[in-house]
Amino acid sequence: MSPEKTEEQAREVANQATCRTVNSAIAAYVALNDKAPVRITDLTEYVDGDITAYRIVGGVAAGPGCKTHQPR
């Protein structure tokens, strides 16, 4: 087991968790404000930690660990 591979896997899991956190913050924002957030900075009071690597695209989080959804 290589330390580099272990670190890469840990970062991937952490990024996915952060993406879910941002999506949860988006849902909370909508529930409390009856409108969608426009900028990621709209969510700062809903999330502890740095989410500046993320953005909101089509109403969901986009950034590290987020799966991109292509329209069909």
Side-chain angles (χ1 to χ4, degrees):
M1 181 175 247
S2 77
E4 293 84 15
K5 182 148 178 90
T6 301
E7 180 180 350
E8 180 182 326
Q9 290 172 335
R11 287 184 189 276
E12 183 177 329
V13 169
N15 285 339
Q16 289 173 356
T18 302
C19 187
R20 283 191 296 276
T21 298
V22 173
N23 278 324
S24 294
I26 291 169
Y29 184 95
V30 170
L32 293 172
N33 295 285
D34 292 324
K35 63 180 182 176
V38 177
R39 293 174 298 282
I40 202 69
T41 55
D42 293 338
L43 303 175
T44 54
E45 67 184 71
Y46 298 87
V47 178
D48 288 333
D50 182 10
I51 58 172
T52 57
Y54 297 85
R55 60 195 187 289
I56 301 169
V57 177
V60 297
C66 298
K67 297 189 183 337
T68 57
H69 299 285
Q70 300 296 327
R72 293 181 181 213

